[in-house]
């Protein structure tokens, strides 16, 4: 029994070298990541991840007051993992807002307390870069205090192709129009074999990383994600984390990593079971341990559910995301957690775990003002 094993009350000797490295602040290897992701000692790996989380953030637990806006759910990609999209030219249940309509939809829920609009949608074959420029300008004019966290790497890549301009021009133009940062969606699992099975018509893993690099080179921060609990194997998850870690070494542009629990309902993969608590928590913990250079790990309560998200705050996560109000992607796939949560409730959820709630803006700066 090593000192580290005793200190973290580990029951799996394979975790001993991982624990030594955690104590020394050293980077874990791929093999050590695999041990963290597969050990039977779930509570042990959770304690290691919580140790890292506490070193980085103490018991500070971040949340924000945000709103989601999905300008369209029409999408040409037809990803098997997705229940949100409708195919192009399908009349049923699809929406595509004009710029004015999108601003009015946002206006239903945005007031002075809201600091962020999270804007993502389908790959619509008629919405070129000028649509998003007009949209961002109109939103900034109406809500100048709101940060626009908009468009995944997949959407930016699609816009460049559709608009027949370079990716650099897309980013430059959207930044000039008010884009503040980018969300982390669309990364799924980078492995090409897995991508073929769950999202074969969209931006591949290498390109996703290249687009993120370009976003960071333009001085914008972004988040990153990993969709787990479908057809992937544990090796795919660990390799995905390492690919993100390597890019972060280069650019430092990722603020936050969000493991996304796959929701199968209403998708073409609805024969798969939903994720269980063990996979959810072990994935959060492994992420915290492997991603030594990404400051924040988000337990996205909409996908994890309130209770698992609370436990995740003791397994390496230090952020819960936000108030949201109108979330449609998880809801379409059978999400049970709801589509929004009041600020006071989010704070209570954090406090119940022993955490200190920190209201933040999109760039993780604490917001002091009491905006109720
Ligand atoms: O890109 C799609 C995933 C993502 C399903 O950056 C699904 O702060 C589970 O990226 N089951 C959108 N997941 C969500 C996302 C996100 C959410 C919150 C915060 C941030 C951030 C980013 O959700 C998609 C895709 O990867 N997704 N369908 C599904 N059935």
């Amino acid at each position: 029994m090593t000192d580290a094993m005793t200190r973290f009350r580990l029951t799996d000797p394979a975790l001993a070298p991982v624990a030594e490295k955690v104590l020394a602040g050293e980077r874990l290897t791929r093999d050590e990541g695999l041990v963290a992701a597969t050990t039977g000692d779930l509570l042990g790996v959770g304690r290691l991840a919580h140790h890292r989380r506490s070193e980085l953030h103490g018991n500070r637990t971040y949340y924000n007051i945000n709103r989601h806006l999905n300008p369209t759910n029409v999408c040409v990609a037809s990803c098997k993992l997705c229940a949100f999209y409708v195919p192009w030219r399908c009349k049923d249940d699809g929406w595509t807002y004009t710029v004015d309509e999108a601003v009015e939809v946002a206006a239903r829920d945005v007031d002075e307390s809201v600091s962020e609009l999270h804007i993502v949608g389908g790959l619509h074959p008629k919405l070129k870069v000028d649509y998003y420029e007009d949209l961002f300008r109109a939103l900034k004019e109406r809500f100048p205090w709101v940060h626009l966290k908009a468009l995944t790497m997949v959407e930016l890549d699609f816009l460049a192709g559709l608009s027949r301009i370079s990716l650099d021009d897309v980013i430059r133009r959207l930044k000039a129009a008010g884009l503040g940062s980018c969300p982390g969606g669309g990364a799924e699992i980078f492995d090409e074999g897995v991508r073929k099975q769950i999202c074969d018509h969209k931006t591949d893993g290498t390109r996703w990383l290249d687009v993120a690099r370009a976003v960071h080179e333009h001085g914008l921060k972004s988040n990153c994600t990993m969709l787990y609990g479908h057809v992937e194997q544990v090796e795919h998850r660990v390799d995905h984390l390492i690919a993100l870690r390597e890019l972060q070494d280069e650019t430092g542009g990722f603020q936050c990593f969000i493991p996304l629990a796959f929701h199968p309902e209403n998708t073409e993969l609805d024969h798969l079971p939903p994720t269980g608590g063990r996979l959810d928590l072990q994935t959060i913990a492994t992420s915290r341990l492997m991603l030594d250079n990404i400051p924040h790990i988000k337990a996205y309560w909409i996908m994890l559910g309130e209770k698992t998200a609370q436990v995740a705050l003791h397994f390496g996560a230090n952020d819960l995301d936000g108030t949201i109000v109108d979330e449609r992607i998880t809801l379409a796939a059978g999400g049970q957690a709801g589509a929004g949560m009041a600020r006071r409730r989010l704070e209570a959820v954090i406090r119940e775990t022993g955490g200190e709630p920190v209201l933040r803006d999109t760039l993780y700066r604490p917001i002091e003002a009491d905006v109720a």
Side-chain angles (χ1 to χ4, degrees), residues 68 81-83 118 149 152 182-188 223 225 227 258 260-263 267 298 300 303 321 329 333:
H68 281 205
L81 65 90
C82 181
H118 171 121
K149 183 184 80 180
T152 64
C182 294
E188 324 307 5
N223 293 336
T225 58
L227 184 73
I258 310 131
L260 299 171
F262 179 56
H263 283 56
T267 75
K298 188 182 285 187
Y300 185 36
M303 282 197 193
D321 200 78
I329 296 177

Side-chain angles (χ1 to χ4, degrees), residues 85-286:
Y85 78 94
V86 298
W88 168 233
R89 293 199 188 287
C90 169
K91 295 271 177 281
D92 297 339
D93 299 317
W95 69 85
T96 299
Y97 301 138
T98 63
V99 166
D100 287 348
E101 285 168 345
V103 173
E104 285 318 309
V105 169
R108 284 183 209 150
D109 298 314
V110 172
D111 59 26
E112 256 118 66
S113 72
V114 174
S115 65
E116 169 187 290
L117 270 171
H118 171 121
I119 306 170
V120 295
L123 307 179
H124 190 298
K126 296 288 176 197
L127 300 184
K128 295 188 180 167
V129 70
D130 50 330
Y131 168 86
Y132 289 96
E133 280 179 300
D134 292 348
L135 176 62
F136 294 171
R137 287 215 163 88
L139 289 168
K140 282 307 256 191
E141 195 174 311
R142 181 83 172 260
F143 318 110
W145 64 91
V146 173
H147 177 109
L148 304 182
K149 183 184 80 180
L151 303 180
T152 64
M153 304 308 112
V154 173
E155 290 169 280
L156 292 173
D157 187 30
F158 178 76
L159 275 183
L162 185 70
S163 316
R164 294 179 187 280
I165 58 174
S166 69
L167 177 67
D168 280 331
D169 281 344
V170 170
I171 300 169
R172 198 173 299 118
R173 283 172 60 173
L174 294 178
K175 193 176 166 190
L179 178 66
S181 67
C182 294
E188 324 307 5
I189 285 279
F190 293 137
D191 178 85
E192 282 315 306
V194 172
R195 263 183 130 69
K196 264 201 170 58
Q197 297 175 65
I198 64 170
C199 58
D200 56 347
H201 299 305
K202 74 177 180 197
T203 304
D204 67 29
T206 309
R207 178 73 181 153
W208 191 99
L209 291 161
D210 286 344
V211 177
R213 182 183 292 104
V215 164
H216 299 165
E217 280 168 356
H218 280 268
L220 293 174
K221 295 287 186 189
S222 77
N223 293 336
C224 50
T225 58
M226 173 175 75
L227 184 73
Y228 67 91
H230 41 86
V231 303
E232 90 287 2
Q233 303 295 314
V234 64
E235 289 82 1
H236 300 130
R237 293 197 288 274
V238 171
D239 288 340
H240 186 99
L241 296 175
I242 290 172
L244 291 172
R245 187 169 77 180
E246 284 173 358
L247 181 56
Q248 180 74 342
D249 276 343
E250 265 182 63
T251 69
F254 290 127
Q255 307 194 95
C256 175
F257 173 73
I258 310 131
L260 299 171
F262 179 56
H263 283 56
E265 226 175 284
N266 305 319
T267 75
E268 284 186 57
L269 300 171
D270 63 0
H271 54 284
L272 296 173
T275 64
R278 177 182 194 105
L279 180 62
D280 291 336
L281 294 172
Q282 202 151 356
T283 304
I284 293 260
T286 304

